[in-house]
Amino acid sequence: MAITELPESVENLNSDLNHAVRRIRGSNGFEAINSSDVCGSGAGFETVNDRSKSVGESSDGGSVANDGEESKETEETTTPYKFAYRASAPAHRRIKESPLSSDAIFRQSHAGLFNLCVVVLIAVNSRLIIENLMKYGLLIRAGFWFSSKSLRDWPLLMCCLSLQLLPLTAFLVEKMAQQRRMTERAVVILHITITTAAILYPVLVILKCDFAFLSGVILMLVACIVWMKLVSYAHANHDMRQLAKSIDKVETSDVDYSYDVSFKSLAYFMVAPTLCYQLSYPRTPCIRKGWVARQFIKLITFTGLMGFIIEQYINPIVQNSQHPLKGNLLYAIERVLKLSVPNLYVWLCMFYCFFHLWLNILAELLCFGDREFYKDWWNAKTIDEYWRMWNMPVHKWMVRHIYFPCLRNGIPKGVAILIAFLVSAVFHELCIAVPCRLFKWWAFIGIMFQVPLVILTNFLQNKFQSSMVGNMMFWCFFSILGQPMCVLLYYHDVMNRKSSAR
């Protein structure tokens, strides 16, 4: 077998062998190898292409090449292989750690192990899917994708469309403020009224109309997005007005803080995949139509996978469970753990569909350049890092319009973080409790419970200096225990409310 690559350079091997020979001669009295025998042009060398010679045979007795081309090739590939792989050549030259030792494990590539995990995961879940289908059959209803009953949700659709009138109202307010036809206090009051209507109007429509749960969740998510965009629009324009007034007083400044209230900028902002308003955004040069089509196919595929997992696995588990706070504790733990795996799959599919596929599709269609919609939150060492990386549009909005304004007004850093979590908890509760028509505050408590977890994981990270402790606690408390517990709590509370209403 021809050797095509040396493990070390020839010069290093020559040097190592010379040192070895000197040590042998000094200690055992052996005679040193003659330099002409070691470094000569013929002796001690073996040609890879010359298959007629046996190992150890001198090249002096070898046959001459028949033509010039073969001779040239032989000369180019002549390497001191015989010298390099002699028994006296040192095989151990440096101190090295095993690849899986604690000091070297994070410096190695584990792509092969990752591929093994993927293969095992596919094999195990394929067996479970086949076993479930053989035992229960296909549980997806005929009207899973579309049902005539969905037409009853048209008031929610009309509410969602009419919400777009609120940005137009905010634009008119800002236009009058720019033209100084309205006092700053009146502008603030009108913006508070507009943003409040963006939340209360959908809540009243949902509570009044009969609707599907998923339709209510979508409407509340749209309402929360509109609210956050309107807050950013009002706050950013207010800040630009203040900067423009300060520049008018100090005309020697070289910074241009002039701004224009443009309806085009507002319209682009309302559909762009961002929650932070600014006059212009980084733009891409063109739309990749083929790329968009591939992402749409992925979006449809993973949405269907989510529906399959919910209908085939989550619904039967939830329906055959008891209230987790009532009854046998071990039974409740068993139900939570059984629900955790399909719930985790649905949550990961939701993240991939929304934050990666849908937001990137929207950004591509609008030529929106900044597509950092998430960071590597799966490597988060603490709960604090996770909340700063998993949802970048909301994180940037929180930092820009909640956290730093609190710091500028003299509020301590810890209190500012608590306020940010409080705002997030309120909106999580609205998005779940309003469609369920049930205010038990489970989502609110779950988000606020992240505050002590942030303190705990930060303490453990500083104490043990390990990147794994906080990461494992995040997966355990947030994904394995927290989310399945909330699903069971809300499901049984909704069922109890419906049964008592009858």
Side-chain angles (χ1 to χ4, degrees), residues 23 43 89 118 149 156 226 229 232 239 262 268 278 286 313 317 357 435 470:
R23 286 197 300 270
V118 172
K149 295 181 180 179
L156 302 186
V226 171
K229 284 178 176 283
S232 180
D239 190 52
S262 169
Y268 183 85
Q278 58 193 62
C286 62
Y313 292 93
I317 294 174
L357 296 176

Side-chain angles (χ1 to χ4, degrees), residues 129 132-142 308 311-312:
I129 291 174
N132 181 273
L133 292 174
M134 292 174 61
K135 187 175 182 179
Y136 301 106
L138 190 63
L139 300 178
I140 297 179
R141 299 184 300 270
F308 175 79
E311 291 290 317
Q312 195 73 25

